[in-house]
């Protein structure tokens, strides 16, 4: 049976006000439920202390009430909404930093929503329309929060992957001045455009800084070579030449040599040696340096 | 120091002449420079031309064509051309666009260029 709005004072209030009323009358239960669930999820795995969980729960309730009080409808551009999103951003980052699981965090957010829904069910004075509006409001706010948490999680993962890739780039292509004026550049893995760019930038800067005369590029660690990789190698060698240094390519394994000939890649302008040690001998020869043992010439 | 329009030429001994492009130099018009430059280099009895790229931040296809023309003219005149002081960023960009070996030698700086065989 339809309710008479005049007879029901709740019918004249906005959805936000109704939800605030709900929270105010049952704040102790809601807060207790959220804290309890938080302790189950984060406390058992020692991700958060009990005090932290309780603080987060209270802060969430405060921010949520402030959001509901701010205007008749949820203002997604308002500072209260931003504050709530920021709260969840910080919270999820904290969980991630401590090695927490995103899935559990999302379940926790769902549970927060469930607590409100549960309280709605127990309130027999609310009409169908009011319940529906409250449900829609909760779904909309919590869905946005979950999306934000996912975005933060993905961004954080992306940052970690990028940092690891950067570190790998640096560690996999260490440029070393092995002798006055001689740089060695061992390449491990594959040479894609982005890596070539970074290696070339570092190498050319080092040639200028160390006043290098010879650069020995060792490709012993390169597993496979295709036209793209060889093209990048040739570009690197040309750039070395333009800086006035001489490039020596070493460590071309038989399979790589076979691949280069199959691809009709012309390396005639490149000085090549079979091993890094042979390359170094060639570099010393170019510099007019002879290496010998105390007892005589080195063979 | 001798001045050819758009560039400074300085004899630095042992038949070496240092060329520094000046403000207003236009690499798009090589014909305006090649003949007067060849005459000046011959009068200076140059055996090696050191082209200073210290103040040239970008070598595009136009500038590269100018350098290639100059290298060809030097070769005919019996002058070795060495490009010096190319910046790392310039070398990097040029290496990505070059299809063949450059028709001139390169050296890190003037002293290295003078010491070339």
């Amino acid at each position: 049976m339809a309710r008479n709005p005049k007879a029901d004072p709740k019918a004249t209030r906005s959805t936000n006000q109704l939800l605030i009323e709900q929270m105010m009358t049952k704040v102790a239960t809601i807060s207790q439920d959220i804290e309890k669930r938080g302790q189950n999820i984060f406390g058992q795995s020692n991700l958060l202390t009990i005090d932290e969980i309780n603080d987060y729960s209270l802060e969430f309730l405060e921010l949520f009430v402030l959001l509901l009080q701010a205007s008749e409808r949820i203002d997604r551009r308002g500072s209260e909404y931003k504050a709530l999103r920021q709260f969840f951003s910080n919270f999820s980052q904290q969980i991630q930093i401590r090695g927490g699981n995103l899935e559990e965090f999302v379940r926790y957010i769902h549970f927060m929503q469930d607590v409100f829904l549960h309280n709605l069910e127990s309130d027999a004075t609310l009409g169908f329309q009011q319940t529906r509006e409250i449900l829609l409001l909760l779904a909309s706010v919590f869905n946005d929060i979950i999306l934000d948490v996912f975005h933060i999680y993905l961004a954080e993962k992306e940052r970690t992957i990028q940092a690891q890739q950067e570190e790998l780039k640096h560690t996999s292509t260490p440029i070393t001045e092995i002798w006055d004026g001689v740089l060695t550049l061992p390449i491990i893995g594959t040479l894609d455009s982005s890596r070539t760019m970074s290696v070339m930038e570092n190498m050319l800067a080092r040639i200028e800084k160390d006043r290098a005369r010879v650069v020995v590029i060792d490709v012993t660690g390169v597993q496979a070579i295709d036209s793209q990789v060889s093209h990048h190698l040739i570009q690197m060698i040309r750039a070395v030449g333009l800086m006035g240094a001489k490039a020596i390519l070493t460590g071309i394994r038989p399979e790589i040599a076979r691949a280069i000939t199959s691809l009709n890649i012309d390396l005639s302008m490149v000085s090549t040696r079979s091993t890094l040690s042979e390359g170094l001998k060639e570099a010393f020869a170019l510099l007019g340096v002879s290496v010998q043992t105390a007892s005589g010439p080195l063979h | 120091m001798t001045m050819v329009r758009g560039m400074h030429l300085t004899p630095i001994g042992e038949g070496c002449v240092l060329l520094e492009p000046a403000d207003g130099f236009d690499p798009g018009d090589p014909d305006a420079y090649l003949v007067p430059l060849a005459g000046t280099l011959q009068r200076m009895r140059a055996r090696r031309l050191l082209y200073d790229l210290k103040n040239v931040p970008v070598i595009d296809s136009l500038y590269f064509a100018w350098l290639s023309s100059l290298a060809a003219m030097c070769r005919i005149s019996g002058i070795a051309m060495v490009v010096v002081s190319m910046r790392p960023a310039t070398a990097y960009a040029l290496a990505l666009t070059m299809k063949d070996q450059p028709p001139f030698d390169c050296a890190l700086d003037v002293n290295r260029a003078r010491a070339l065989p």
Side-chain angles (χ1 to χ4, degrees):
Chain A
M1 199 168 83
R3 285 162 186 265
N4 177 5
K6 282 180 185 169
D8 183 1
K10 282 190 176 181
T12 57
R13 293 182 190 153
S14 73
T15 314
N16 289 12
Q17 284 172 324
L18 287 172
L19 202 50
I20 294 168
E21 260 180 30
Q22 281 262 314
M23 288 174 69
M24 289 303 156
T25 52
K26 295 173 181 174
V27 68
T29 321
I30 292 172
S31 167
Q32 208 174 16
D33 283 352
I34 292 174
E35 282 171 15
K36 197 175 160 191
R37 180 67 176 188
Q39 281 164 16
N40 281 342
I41 294 175
F42 305 121
Q44 282 176 0
S45 47
N46 289 325
L47 286 173
L48 297 172
T49 63
I50 289 176
D51 285 344
E52 281 175 323
I53 293 165
N54 297 348
D55 287 348
Y56 274 126
S57 303
L58 284 175
E59 195 179 341
F60 161 69
L61 288 173
E62 277 173 22
L63 289 170
F64 195 50
V65 170
L66 284 174
L67 173 71
L68 296 172
Q69 283 174 334
S71 56
E72 288 285 303
R73 300 182 71 83
I74 298 287
D75 177 13
R76 282 177 162 70
R77 290 179 182 175
S79 58
E80 292 80 11
Y81 194 71
K82 283 178 186 164
L84 185 66
R85 291 174 78 164
Q86 190 59 45
F87 163 77
F88 276 101
S89 298
N90 296 342
F91 194 0
S92 70
Q93 268 174 344
Q94 181 96 352
I95 296 294
Q96 269 190 64
I97 288 165
R98 295 185 185 182
N101 188 330
L102 175 75
E103 200 182 311
E104 281 179 341
F105 189 69
V106 170
R107 262 197 220 135
Y108 177 64
I109 298 172
H110 270 302
F111 180 79
M112 287 175 161
Q113 190 180 354
D114 285 347
V115 171
F116 291 112
L117 296 179
H118 181 74
N119 279 290
L120 279 182
E121 282 169 13
S122 60
D123 190 342
T125 60
L126 288 173
F128 172 76
Q129 186 60 25
Q130 289 163 333
T131 310
R132 185 179 165 273
E133 279 172 11
I134 292 176
L135 279 173
L136 286 174
L137 185 143
L138 287 173
S140 144
V141 170
F142 278 91
N143 281 347
D144 275 1
I145 288 168
I146 289 170
L147 271 177
D148 273 354
V149 167
F150 263 111
H151 284 147
I152 291 159
Y153 176 79
L154 290 176
E156 196 64 35
K157 281 274 172 208
E158 190 71 24
R159 258 199 299 277
T160 308
I161 291 167
Q162 271 181 358
Q164 284 170 340
Q165 280 178 340
E166 276 301 309
E167 200 177 328
L168 198 65
K169 264 187 206 169
H170 287 291
T171 51
S172 62
T173 44
I175 301 168
T176 315
E177 189 181 27
I178 203 158
W179 195 270
D180 285 347
V182 181
L183 297 178
T184 55
L185 170 66
I187 298 173
I188 297 158
T190 55
L191 265 182
D192 58 15
S193 300
S194 129
R195 191 168 171 214
T196 305
M197 203 189 297
S198 131
V199 171
M200 267 170 80
E201 271 177 20
N202 290 337
M203 184 180 62
L204 297 177
R206 283 294 294 271
I207 291 173
E208 189 184 39
K209 178 175 159 274
D210 296 338
R211 300 182 52 75
R213 289 172 184 271
V214 185
V215 179
V216 184
I217 302 172
D218 184 59
V219 293
T220 312
V222 174
Q223 293 306 311
I225 202 159
D226 57 15
S227 55
Q228 187 75 2
V229 173
S230 62
H231 182 63
H232 289 318
L233 272 174
I234 290 169
Q235 282 176 340
M236 283 170 70
I237 290 163
R238 278 199 188 128
V240 171
L242 289 170
M243 290 294 292
K246 166 96 176 162
I248 301 170
L249 191 62
T250 68
I252 299 180
R253 290 179 293 111
E255 311 87 75
I256 302 284
R258 175 76 188 116
I260 288 172
T261 49
S262 304
L263 290 164
N264 282 330
I265 295 160
D266 181 17
L267 288 180
S268 58
M269 36 66 78
V270 182
S271 181
T272 55
R273 289 292 179 272
S274 55
T275 61
L276 181 59
S277 121
E278 288 298 317
L280 286 176
K281 281 181 197 162
E282 171 69 8
F284 289 151
L286 286 168
L287 295 179
V289 174
S290 72
V291 181
Q292 60 179 45
T293 61
S295 57
L298 189 69
H299 297 291
Chain B
M1 187 194 293
T2 308
M3 192 74 185
V4 170
R5 188 171 62 90
M7 54 188 74
H8 301 286
L9 290 165
T10 314
I12 53 173
E14 298 170 342
C16 295
V17 173
L18 179 67
L19 186 160
E20 295 163 289
D23 291 341
F25 169 67
D26 176 16
D29 186 16
D31 291 339
Y33 303 100
L34 285 174
V35 175
L37 181 58
T40 309
L41 289 174
Q42 279 176 356
R43 277 196 301 281
M44 289 173 147
R45 297 176 187 280
R47 291 197 305 277
R48 182 172 289 177
L49 175 68
L50 278 53
Y51 196 110
D52 194 343
L53 287 175
K54 192 168 55 224
N55 295 319
V56 179
V58 178
I59 298 180
D60 56 11
S61 55
L62 198 69
Y63 208 101
F64 189 71
W66 150 250
L67 289 175
S68 301
S69 304
L70 182 58
M73 189 210 72
C74 284
R75 204 177 312 115
I76 293 164
S77 311
I79 300 167
M81 178 173 154
V82 186
V83 158
V84 300
S85 305
M86 194 182 294
R87 295 181 189 180
T90 314
Y92 171 82
L94 184 57
L96 296 186
T97 54
M98 264 172 30
K99 289 186 172 64
D100 295 306
Q101 285 289 92
F104 41 78
D105 287 326
C106 301
L108 192 66
D109 55 28
V110 171
N111 289 335
R112 290 263 176 97
R114 292 177 71 169
L116 283 174

